[in-house]
Amino acid sequence: MKPRSQKKKELARLKDKLLKAGVVIFTTFAREGEKGLNVSEMRELKRELRGIDSEYLIGKKTLLDKTLAEGKKDIDIFQYPGSMGVVFGYGEGPATAKSVYNFAKKNPALKYFGAFWNGRFMDLAEFTEFAKLPTKEVMIARLLGMLMYPVNALAIVLNQISKNKN
């Protein structure tokens, strides 16, 4: 059991991470009676998240609950079974969500429950839809493609007209 001073330090550290994070995703990596993530899978997840300016922390539910209460985040994490892990995403929120979603598809031991993004809680279904969205770069490329299509079509038509006149 940790001494009170160590718990206070951990609580302050979690609160700081909660304030800095753009997206906070709640997961479980091990549930009673099921095989959880092994060490190499956990290492792979953490490495993948580090690459997109995010981190995965494992915490006690009581400390996480106190941190969320102090941060005025209304969620009851005790309703979720198993050991609690939290992803703090400091970079682009959709990229972090997509990474967790893809990792959970490959490793069924990792389950996510929901997330806070832009100060709002997304439940399981909402988070899944959010994670399936294409990345920012893909959306920009699609938009540019849609904007360029009429211009390209006009250029082809004008080129054909000029060829027919000659």
Side-chain angles (χ1 to χ4, degrees):
M1 191 162 186
K2 294 180 182 179
R4 185 178 212 92
S5 61
Q6 193 174 1
K7 288 180 184 178
K8 282 185 179 182
K9 284 180 187 175
E10 185 150 344
L11 191 64
R13 185 175 71 105
L14 284 172
K15 188 176 177 184
D16 184 49
K17 289 181 183 304
L18 184 66
L19 291 173
K20 286 181 184 177
V23 64
V24 179
I25 304 168
F26 301 98
T27 69
T28 183
F29 56 92
R31 286 165 303 289
E32 193 173 323
E34 295 181 26
K35 183 178 180 255
L37 289 177
N38 61 35
V39 174
S40 64
E41 290 168 336
M42 187 69 78
R43 194 176 303 127
E44 179 187 344
L45 173 63
K46 288 182 175 187
R47 188 177 315 119
E48 191 175 311
L49 289 172
R50 250 191 319 265
I52 55 172
D53 197 20
S54 301
E55 67 179 317
Y56 189 75
L57 293 177
I58 298 164
K60 293 187 74 65
K61 287 183 180 179
T62 51
L63 285 177
L64 287 171
D65 188 52
K66 284 183 180 185
T67 303
L68 292 169
E70 286 182 15
K72 296 183 178 36
K73 307 284 187 195
D74 188 29
I75 178 177
D76 179 22
I77 59 173
F78 293 107
Q79 69 181 336
Y80 304 120
S83 301
M84 184 63 68
V86 182
V87 177
F88 293 100
Y90 307 111
E92 194 176 315
T96 303
K98 185 175 277 314
S99 181
V100 171
Y101 172 75
N102 289 336
F103 189 85
K105 277 190 350 188
K106 289 187 291 185
N107 300 286
L110 182 76
K111 301 269 191 238
Y112 51 84
F113 306 119
F116 276 105
W117 188 58
N118 285 343
R120 181 175 150 309
F121 183 73
M122 295 184 288
D123 62 6
L124 178 67
E126 214 175 346
F127 175 75
T128 302
E129 288 302 313
F130 176 66
K132 288 180 182 179
L133 287 174
T135 62
K136 182 179 175 181
E137 292 80 16
V138 170
M139 291 176 87
I140 289 171
R142 286 181 184 174
L143 175 66
L144 290 175
M146 285 188 276
L147 292 174
M148 289 301 297
Y149 179 76
V151 174
N152 287 340
L154 179 64
I156 291 169
V157 168
L158 292 175
N159 188 26
Q160 287 297 322
I161 291 171
S162 70
K163 282 182 181 179
N164 289 342
K165 284 190 177 182
N166 292 333

